[in-house]
Amino acid sequence: SAKAEEIIEQFMNFPPMFDKGPQKGIFPWVCKIRQIHNPVLSEAYERRKAYQDSKHGTPGVELELYHGTNCNILDHVYQHGLKVPSDIKASDKCPVSGGKGLTTSLCNNDCEFCTERHEWDRCHMFGLGIYLADIPSKSHRYVSHPKVEKVYKDKKVIEDSKVYKMIRCRAALGNPFLIEGYLANQDSLHDFFVCKDPGNKIGQQYDAHWTKEDHDSYFVKGLGAECVEGVSVKANEYIVFVPWQVLPLYEISYCFYDPVRHGKKRHNKEEDSD
């Protein structure tokens, strides 16, 4: 379909997923796109967006963004929606959250197994929210537990490969709050669970100020070459703290090909226009 072609074109023409190490320069190949349709989640999303628009008296910011997560929980996500991270660790003994490679629990706070508090561990830099990105290479860092599947081309199996899955979502960002600077400490915002004024949690190079008007999300501007690891980000991030602000739209399945190994050159629109 035209939408699938658009998604593939955008996905393939972003920078490579790896910018260093032995996999540097290896690009993804989209092998399948699956549309996600859940009427209950769609209605919840539209209600949340309508509430935000009414609150501000004007249509809020709405974008299609990427989200990477544990591939073992995707069916759970498509049924129940994306959840904000729990402040409780996932217990291996838990029949719901255990054995999936999760760091935080999927359970409610009445689970008898998941009871240990989740502490900062180089994670959730801007709070316990749902993190989204406008480039897939950013979200790919958080895609875990890919499964080996048969990859098809022209209805023929070409190889068994690790297949990664990323979610393309619609996000009702409403009135985002800009964060452009450095955290005072690496764990400054880790325990934030609502969108609120970061105050002195941001260091001296922080220029934005919280206004009297409510904000619905954080927009953390990537600092590129000025990024300092642990207290800022290189590429943009978007964080929401209400699950119904994000609606899963498409599951993008992809693997990686090495142009040298496959004897192929990656398609590049700029070269076609020369």
Side-chain angles (χ1 to χ4, degrees):
S1 68
K3 184 63 177 180
E5 291 178 0
E6 174 192 326
I7 292 172
I8 293 171
E9 184 75 11
Q10 292 176 353
F11 197 87
M12 293 289 292
N13 281 284
F14 277 114
M17 298 292 191
F18 307 100
D19 56 6
K20 59 184 177 180
Q23 293 178 302
K24 180 178 179 180
I26 295 180
F27 293 87
W29 181 67
V30 176
C31 44
K32 184 167 64 175
I33 295 177
R34 171 189 172 194
Q35 186 174 17
I36 308 303
H37 180 61
N38 184 322
V40 175
L41 296 182
S42 296
E43 182 180 356
Y45 174 86
E46 293 299 335
R47 285 185 177 184
R48 179 67 193 186
K49 182 180 182 304
Y51 163 74
Q52 291 176 179
D53 293 348
S54 174
K55 179 176 64 171
H56 299 300
T58 184
V61 176
E62 186 178 31
L63 298 175
E64 285 194 13
L65 300 168
Y66 300 96
H67 179 78
T69 190
N70 187 317
C71 292
N72 288 327
I73 66 168
L74 290 176
D75 288 341
H76 185 278
V77 168
Y78 302 149
Q79 181 178 357
H80 302 287
L82 286 164
K83 292 185 176 182
V84 295
S86 170
D87 60 354
I88 300 296
K89 287 184 178 181
S91 170
D92 289 335
K93 297 179 181 179
C94 178
V96 176
S97 301
K100 296 181 173 67
L102 298 172
T103 56
T104 58
S105 174
L106 293 173
C107 303
N108 297 324
N109 58 9
D110 57 355
C111 177
E112 63 177 303
F113 301 101
C114 301
T115 57
E116 185 179 351
R117 177 179 169 81
H118 165 69
E119 303 287 352
W120 177 82
D121 185 22
R122 299 177 60 85
C123 59
H124 308 123
M125 185 183 294
F126 298 97
L128 295 171
I130 299 170
Y131 286 67
L132 305 152
D134 48 24
I135 56 173
S137 53
K138 174 78 174 183
S139 293
H140 173 71
R141 299 180 185 182
Y142 304 96
V143 177
S144 64
H145 296 83
K147 294 178 172 57
V148 175
E149 298 179 10
K150 294 186 183 300
V151 176
Y152 294 84
K153 186 175 183 181
D154 299 327
K155 298 183 179 180
K156 296 180 180 179
V157 178
I158 56 174
E159 62 181 14
D160 289 341
S161 178
K162 275 187 180 180
V163 175
Y164 299 79
K165 297 184 179 182
M166 187 182 298
I167 309 171
R168 179 157 162 154
C169 310
R170 182 177 295 134
L173 302 174
N175 179 24
F177 180 67
L178 171 66
I179 295 178
E180 184 178 6
Y182 304 90
L183 293 174
N185 297 293
Q186 290 184 329
D187 61 347
S188 291
L189 300 184
H190 178 269
D191 292 336
F192 274 36
F193 58 90
V194 294
C195 185
K196 63 180 182 179
D197 184 1
N200 61 4
K201 303 291 186 180
I202 307 295
Q204 293 181 352
Q205 297 190 47
Y206 171 61
D207 296 325
H209 298 281
W210 191 269
T211 64
K212 293 181 179 179
E213 187 176 6
D214 287 337
H215 294 274
D216 308 292
S217 59
Y218 288 151
F219 166 49
V220 184
K221 187 173 181 180
L223 301 183
E226 297 180 0
C227 171
V228 176
E229 186 176 356
V231 293
S232 60
V233 295
K234 184 177 291 187
N236 297 337
E237 290 188 0
Y238 305 78
I239 302 99
V240 302
F241 296 87
V242 178
W244 314 128
Q245 285 179 251
V246 184
L247 178 66
L249 296 178
Y250 302 96
E251 177 186 87
I252 304 172
S253 298
Y254 59 100
C255 56
F256 291 95
Y257 74 88
D258 184 339
V260 175
R261 181 168 67 86
H262 287 83
K264 298 177 181 179
K265 185 175 182 180
R266 180 173 177 263
H267 176 69
N268 190 320
K269 289 185 68 176
E270 293 181 2
E271 293 178 355
D272 291 346
S273 62
D274 290 343

